[in-house]
Amino acid sequence: PTPALSALAERVHAAMPGLRGLVGIDYVEHPHVGAVVIEINPRPTSACVGLAARIARSPAGELLAMHTANWER
């Protein structure tokens, strides 16, 4: 990610400390202020498909496996 998007993710994390896992952040680019958040979806989104292709594994599958392991305890 770009430094601006990394900073945006850090601001979202600071604003919503209980938020964990895969989330979708919808935003628009404003010409004067940069990225402006429209909504935050606390669930995996269609972007997981692109991420999975980029990193050659399934982040949604890994998250599900982690939660499943916690349920079985």
Side-chain angles (χ1 to χ4, degrees), residues 16-32:
M16 303 182 76
L19 194 62
R20 320 184 273 195
L22 296 172
V23 299
I25 302 172
D26 294 342
Y27 69 95
V28 295
E29 283 289 331
H30 186 278
H32 301 293

Side-chain angles (χ1 to χ4, degrees), residues 1-12:
T2 66
L5 289 181
S6 293
L8 176 68
E10 291 294 329
R11 288 194 309 273
V12 167

Side-chain angles (χ1 to χ4, degrees), residues 7 33 38-39 44:
V33 298
I38 303 298
E39 68 179 1

Side-chain angles (χ1 to χ4, degrees), residues 41-62:
N41 299 301
R43 58 182 159 65
T45 64
S46 60
C48 285
V49 175
L51 178 60
R54 175 80 175 175
I55 64 174
R57 62 182 196 273
S58 171
E62 290 179 17

